């Protein structure tokens, strides 16, 4: 049975949500994917990357805790084998609000999460391709085009993708975004170490955030190896987890898995929806879904992730 997520509030008011959830016989683990916490009003990049405000994130944790057990990253393996519904929180990219907005809420709830860091954006802060395309869209007076340009970029071979941004900026008569446009946007290495010291899991998210399946095998290996090496050098611990940039079914391939396996990565996380009812047959495709900011919908996602589908 598949139901639209927008029906969750009605089912909850009718006290039918427990019945729907009971039909999913193996509760398992739900892994929620976040990007940014805060308000997009003053951000230079892609406003769609904001998963919730701080207040909404606090509400999310309360909603999750009312119907499931929030687990720490270290508990994931045991949770796969334990009855009940379990939820793991994850964050991608490594924006500065990971430490300054998400971490205070997590600590207030006694919760722990995994943070997947794009190491090249910590080493050299700048607007990455998705933020720069949104920035160009606003600067050109065409903010409605950002989503289309970002979607197009994701389909391009990595060796031509950057040329698309150059060409687009030229057509719009605009300069490329200077590094100063990203001032304060990204975690510093001090921030990453602070997340680790607070008990958070630090995972890799490549060095420069290409869509890996669009890249050559040699570049994929370099992206994986460099991100792991940089994180180990800066935190003293080699990551055991990895999250695929973009995370769709077509965003990683056999070459990606091979690179991860050779580098010693134990688990890799996708982001195209679904839950994990047992230790997955493919440990390089741990399913994640984006959390709704509507409490009733989030409770439905957590209680019956294979039943409810659609927009957050």
């Amino acid at each position: 049975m598949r139901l639209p997520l927008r029906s969750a509030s009605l089912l909850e008011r009718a006290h039918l949500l427990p019945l729907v959830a009971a039909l999913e016989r193996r509760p398992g683990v739900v892994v929620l994917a976040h990007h940014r916490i805060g308000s997009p009003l003053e951000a230079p990049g892609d406003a769609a990357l904001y998963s919730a405000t701080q207040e909404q994130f606090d509400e999310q944790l309360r909603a999750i805790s009312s119907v499931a057990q929030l687990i720490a990253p270290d508990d994931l393996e045991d949770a796969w084998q334990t009855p009940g519904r379990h939820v793991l929180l994850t964050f991608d990219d490594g924006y500065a609000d990971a430490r300054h907005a998400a971490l205070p809420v997590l600590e207030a709830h006694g919760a722990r999460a995994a943070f997947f860091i794009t190491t090249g954006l910590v080493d050299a802060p700048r607007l990455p391709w998705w933020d720069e395309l949104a920035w160009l869209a606003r600067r050109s007076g065409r903010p409605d085009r950002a989503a289309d340009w970002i979607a197009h970029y994701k389909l391009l071979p990595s060796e031509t993708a950057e040329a698309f941004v150059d060409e687009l900026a030229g057509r719009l008569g605009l300069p490329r975004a200077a590094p100063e446009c990203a001032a304060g946007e990204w975690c510093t290495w001090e921030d990453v170490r602070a997340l680790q010291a607070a008990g958070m899991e630090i995972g890799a998210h490549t060095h420069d955030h290409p869509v890996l399946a669009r890249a050559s095998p040699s570049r994929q290996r370099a992206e994986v190896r460099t991100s792991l090496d940089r994180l180990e050098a800066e935190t003293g611990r080699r990551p055991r987890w990895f999250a695929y940039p973009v995370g769709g079914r077509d965003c990683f391939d056999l070459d990606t898995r091979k690179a991860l396996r050779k580098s010693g990565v134990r688990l890799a996380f996708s982001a195209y929806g679904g839950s994990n009812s047992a230790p997955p047959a493919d440990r390089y495709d741990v399913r994640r879904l984006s959390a709704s900011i509507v409490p009733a919908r989030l409770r439905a996602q957590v209680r019956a992730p294979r039943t409810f589908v659609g927009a957050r």
Side-chain angles (χ1 to χ4, degrees), residues 68-81:
Q69 180 182 354
L70 276 169
I71 61 169
D74 288 344
D75 298 329
L76 179 58
E77 296 283 352
D78 288 340
W80 270 324
Q81 308 289 353

Side-chain angles (χ1 to χ4, degrees), residues 51-256:
S51 302
T53 65
Q54 267 194 309
E55 293 76 15
Q56 288 168 335
F57 184 46
D58 180 76
E59 290 176 359
Q60 284 182 331
L61 297 194
R62 294 179 190 279
I64 293 166
S65 297
S66 70
V67 295
Q69 180 182 354
L70 276 169
I71 61 169
D74 288 344
D75 298 329
L76 179 58
E77 296 283 352
D78 288 340
W80 270 324
Q81 308 289 353
T82 305
R85 172 64 77 213
H86 304 91
V87 177
L88 174 68
L89 302 172
T90 68
F91 292 81
D92 286 2
D93 298 330
Y95 286 99
D97 48 68
R99 178 183 183 183
H100 302 295
L103 181 59
V105 179
L106 289 167
E107 291 185 319
H109 286 264
R112 291 166 58 194
F115 289 82
F116 296 103
I117 307 299
T118 307
T119 52
L121 295 172
V122 183
D123 284 338
R126 60 195 183 277
L127 291 188
W129 52 267
W130 62 93
D131 278 340
E132 185 169 10
L133 289 170
W135 180 84
L136 286 169
R138 283 199 303 276
R139 289 273 302 246
S140 67
R142 306 168 72 182
D144 57 309
R145 296 304 308 278
D148 292 336
W149 294 343
I150 291 169
H152 179 70
Y153 183 104
K154 293 176 182 178
L155 299 175
L156 296 173
S158 64
E159 63 268 21
T160 62
E162 194 65 15
F164 165 69
V165 185
D166 278 334
E167 179 185 351
L168 179 62
R171 289 205 315 264
L172 296 173
L174 294 170
R176 295 288 303 269
E180 292 75 21
C181 293
E185 285 289 284
W186 294 98
C187 277
T188 63
W189 285 116
E190 179 186 351
D191 291 331
V192 174
R193 288 188 287 270
L195 290 169
Q196 181 175 265
M200 307 299 145
E201 181 80 16
I202 302 301
H205 197 48
T206 72
H207 189 64
D208 288 318
H209 205 288
V211 180
L212 286 169
R214 314 284 184 264
S216 67
S218 61
R219 184 175 181 193
Q220 292 199 47
R221 290 191 297 271
E223 286 286 338
V224 170
R225 183 178 61 252
T226 303
S227 63
L228 295 172
D229 288 349
R230 290 295 298 122
L231 285 164
E232 183 176 23
E234 294 290 345
T235 68
R237 182 182 180 189
R238 194 165 186 83
R240 55 180 182 156
W241 290 3
F242 184 95
Y244 301 111
V246 180
R249 291 179 186 269
D250 64 340
C251 295
F252 53 99
D253 57 21
L254 292 176
D255 288 318
T256 321

